[in-house]
Amino acid sequence: MMKLKFNSYHRFISSQCIARTIDWVDIIALNWITLQLTGSAIYIAYINFARLMPQLAFAFIIGKLIDTVSSTKLMYIIHIFNMLLTVSVVCAFWQKWNIYIILFIIMVRSFFQAIDTIQRNALIQSFVSPDRLHKAISLNALILNLARLIGPFLGGLLLAQLNSNVVLSLPILGSLMVILLNQTLPEVHHQKKAKHKIWSYLRSQPVIILLMLSSMFSMLFGFSYTIILPSIVDEQFDSRTMIYSLFTAMIAAGSIIILLIFMHSKDMNSIKSLKLWTVIFIITIVLLMFIKNIYLYAAVLLLMGFASQAFRTTNRILVQQHVEAKYRGSVLSISMMDKGFIPLGGILLSFIFEQFNIQIVYITMISGLLLTLICVMLMINKENQYEQNS
């Protein structure tokens, strides 16, 4: 009889399933408890800014840490500080400290959580062979999307049944599980004595730069659509909550479907496939401009979730395939700054929506995604030039 081995990679994945779900429970709890404490929705925006800002502001420091500090040592530092700062967050809400002190504590904790996010992605390649990288990255993205579905639902249930301070304490459990399941991590990508000239390296890698730019434009003009989706539902579909829930679920369902396909295919992670996903992404925005029927709109959103997640996952795979091991942390840290462009895009699209109309929003999104397509076409051109010269 064949025995299933619970190896280091399986332990790594299991810990991520638990920790990422708890992350979403924590996000829901923070937003809800902040609203209860302050009575103002603007502070929820401040909380989410505090969560996202460290990855944008300290990307280069985070990348250098990941590339030069032992993975195991860094893991312990991250999660010890995460537990200590989570205790501080709980105390701050319990004692009703000044909201700006709470924001500062959350921002400091988010710095360590940002290191964890980049380290997790940088380590994936250390667990698998090159021919299985696309499956590993797809599985990681699938875990994030499932956590995004399960976590908020679980958070709502827990907040209804337990004291809010208990729910806010759950990241401590997440950190403990990561430490217990991953007592050591791979140490294959550190070259402490080598000169770490990230900018010189990037200047010699135009494809990596174009991958980063294409991802940035997609986040700014494409993925930010979810932020204005409630406004679109309000204007086009009479502000019906069930419709908003349906639309959100369809985008998530499209993401999960493509990730399951990615895990069983080897031929979908090329620059040419990136072009295909970008074109489909643009087509979905064009279709949304003219569709008024709820179910047709939902079907197009399913396709949007499919294409956008395919683009994002392919982009992540290509970055990991092109980058040298000793620069992996720094490059991924810069590349994953792209998430910070989603709220910026949301602000831009919300302003356009309020000042003009939804059609101008769609046109802006299409224009921005065309910039993504231009980046992809330039990548294809660079790739063709390389093949001709080799």
Side-chain angles (χ1 to χ4, degrees), residues 9 13 121 124 128 131-146 255-269 277 309-318 320-321:
Y9 178 57
I13 291 298
N121 282 270
I124 290 172
V128 297
D131 63 314
R132 296 180 66 83
L133 178 62
H134 69 285
K135 290 186 178 181
I137 293 177
S138 299
L139 177 60
N140 185 61
L142 181 62
I143 288 169
L144 295 178
N145 278 277
L146 289 173
S255 299
I256 291 170
I257 290 168
I258 187 60
L259 288 169
L260 291 171
I261 294 171
F262 263 57
M263 290 174 63
H264 295 88
S265 174
K266 294 182 180 180
D267 304 319
M268 302 174 71
N269 56 338
W277 306 132
Q309 186 62 59
F311 174 91
R312 188 174 194 171
T313 305
T314 303
N315 191 287
R316 292 281 189 262
I317 293 170
L318 288 168
Q320 295 236 32
Q321 287 177 338

Side-chain angles (χ1 to χ4, degrees), residues 218-238:
S218 73
M219 299 292 165
L220 188 62
F221 295 102
F223 286 83
S224 55
Y225 169 83
T226 54
I227 293 176
I228 63 161
L229 184 55
S231 300
I232 293 172
V233 171
D234 183 49
E235 180 174 285
Q236 289 189 208
F237 303 104
D238 301 323

Side-chain angles (χ1 to χ4, degrees), residues 15-278:
S15 67
Q16 298 317 311
C17 289
I18 297 167
R20 300 294 69 79
T21 302
I22 289 175
D23 283 349
W24 275 100
V25 173
D26 187 55
I27 290 168
I28 295 300
L30 280 174
N31 288 343
W32 175 254
I33 296 166
T34 299
L35 185 61
Q36 298 302 305
L37 178 66
T38 65
S40 172
I42 191 66
Y43 286 106
I44 295 177
Y46 291 164
I47 288 285
N48 286 283
F49 174 79
R51 286 180 44 250
L52 290 169
M53 192 280 291
Q55 191 164 326
L56 277 171
F58 302 109
F60 306 112
I61 295 172
I62 291 169
K64 189 68 178 287
L65 283 171
I66 291 168
D67 283 335
T68 56
V69 178
S70 158
S71 299
T72 302
K73 180 180 178 181
L74 193 58
M75 175 189 70
Y76 281 105
I77 292 170
I78 289 165
H79 291 288
I80 287 170
F81 273 99
N82 188 53
M83 288 187 283
L84 291 172
L85 289 162
T86 297
V87 171
S88 299
V89 169
V90 173
C91 288
F93 276 105
W94 182 32
Q95 298 293 329
K96 296 183 179 179
W97 291 358
N98 184 284
I99 187 64
Y100 293 104
I101 296 175
I102 296 174
L103 287 170
F104 177 75
I105 297 170
I106 290 171
M107 194 174 295
V108 175
R109 186 180 67 166
S110 296
F111 171 74
F112 291 97
Q113 291 173 338
I115 302 173
D116 181 49
T117 299
I118 307 302
Q119 186 186 47
R120 281 188 287 106
N121 282 270
L123 281 170
I124 290 172
Q125 198 164 341
S126 303
F127 284 105
V128 297
S129 57
D131 63 314
R132 296 180 66 83
L133 178 62
H134 69 285
K135 290 186 178 181
I137 293 177
S138 299
L139 177 60
N140 185 61
L142 181 62
I143 288 169
L144 295 178
N145 278 277
L146 289 173
R148 187 176 67 178
L149 284 176
I150 297 168
F153 174 72
L154 185 59
L157 287 179
L158 292 174
L159 284 169
Q161 300 297 323
L162 301 174
N163 184 285
S164 59
N165 292 319
V166 174
V167 182
L168 280 178
S169 302
L170 285 177
I172 297 172
L173 175 61
S175 284
L176 286 172
M177 293 305 298
V178 171
I179 291 172
L180 290 172
L181 289 170
N182 304 278
Q183 295 177 28
T184 59
L185 291 172
E187 305 289 351
V188 297
H189 64 285
H190 298 294
Q191 297 185 21
K192 295 182 182 180
K193 294 181 182 179
K195 290 185 177 179
H196 196 275
K197 297 181 177 178
I198 182 63
W199 294 117
S200 297
Y201 174 70
L202 285 176
R203 281 196 293 270
S204 68
Q205 301 292 326
V207 171
I208 293 177
I209 292 174
L210 288 167
L211 281 167
M212 291 178 179
L213 286 173
S214 66
S215 185
M216 181 192 77
F217 288 133
S218 73
M219 299 292 165
L220 188 62
F221 295 102
F223 286 83
S224 55
Y225 169 83
T226 54
I227 293 176
I228 63 161
L229 184 55
S231 300
I232 293 172
V233 171
D234 183 49
E235 180 174 285
Q236 289 189 208
F237 303 104
D238 301 323
S239 189
R240 290 158 64 182
T241 306
M242 286 304 297
I243 294 176
Y244 174 59
S245 300
L246 170 66
F247 287 174
T248 304
M250 294 302 282
I251 295 171
S255 299
I256 291 170
I257 290 168
I258 187 60
L259 288 169
L260 291 171
I261 294 171
F262 263 57
M263 290 174 63
H264 295 88
S265 174
K266 294 182 180 180
D267 304 319
M268 302 174 71
N269 56 338
S270 66
I271 295 176
K272 289 182 179 177
S273 65
L274 202 63
K275 175 185 173 183
L276 173 64
W277 306 132
T278 308

